[in-house]
Amino acid sequence: MIDVKRSLTRVIEDPHFSRRERHLAKSSLELIEELENREVYHWTEMARFALLTEVRKKVIGSQAATKIDSFLKRHRVKRP
């Protein structure tokens, strides 16, 4: 998991990535840290984590990942 966090941090700090890609990396990193501190998972959180894994393995492109991430954000559980 540390490797994933380092990779996301590099993407966030690298200006060669698009603003959308950096935003996706930042939200993914925040989600990972949040999930590490909780025990209850919602299906959208697990799906976003799986999406991150697929992007890292280069199974899915960044444009498709962005669209899927947008869908998952719309369907996530709203926390008070």
Side-chain angles (χ1 to χ4, degrees), residues 31-42:
L31 179 63
I32 288 170
E33 290 173 349
E34 182 181 325
L35 289 175
E36 287 178 338
N37 295 327
R38 284 193 297 138
E39 294 181 18
V40 178
Y41 300 103
H42 187 262

Side-chain angles (χ1 to χ4, degrees), residues 45-56:
E45 295 170 343
M46 292 187 295
R48 287 185 79 205
F49 184 74
L51 176 64
L52 176 63
T53 303
E54 297 302 310
V55 169
R56 185 171 150 249

Side-chain angles (χ1 to χ4, degrees), residues 16-76:
H16 292 98
F17 286 97
S18 71
R19 185 171 57 98
R20 181 67 179 145
E21 290 171 323
R22 289 190 315 242
H23 177 71
L24 177 61
K26 183 178 179 182
S27 64
S28 298
L29 181 62
E30 290 171 354
L31 179 63
I32 288 170
E33 290 173 349
E34 182 181 325
L35 289 175
E36 287 178 338
N37 295 327
R38 284 193 297 138
E39 294 181 18
V40 178
Y41 300 103
H42 187 262
W43 70 270
T44 57
E45 295 170 343
M46 292 187 295
R48 287 185 79 205
F49 184 74
L51 176 64
L52 176 63
T53 303
E54 297 302 310
V55 169
R56 185 171 150 249
K57 291 180 181 178
K58 298 183 180 177
V59 174
I60 189 169
S62 63
Q63 185 176 9
T66 301
K67 290 181 180 183
I68 294 168
D69 184 59
S70 176
F71 170 82
L72 293 172
K73 282 182 181 179
R74 286 193 310 268
H75 292 86
R76 68 182 172 215

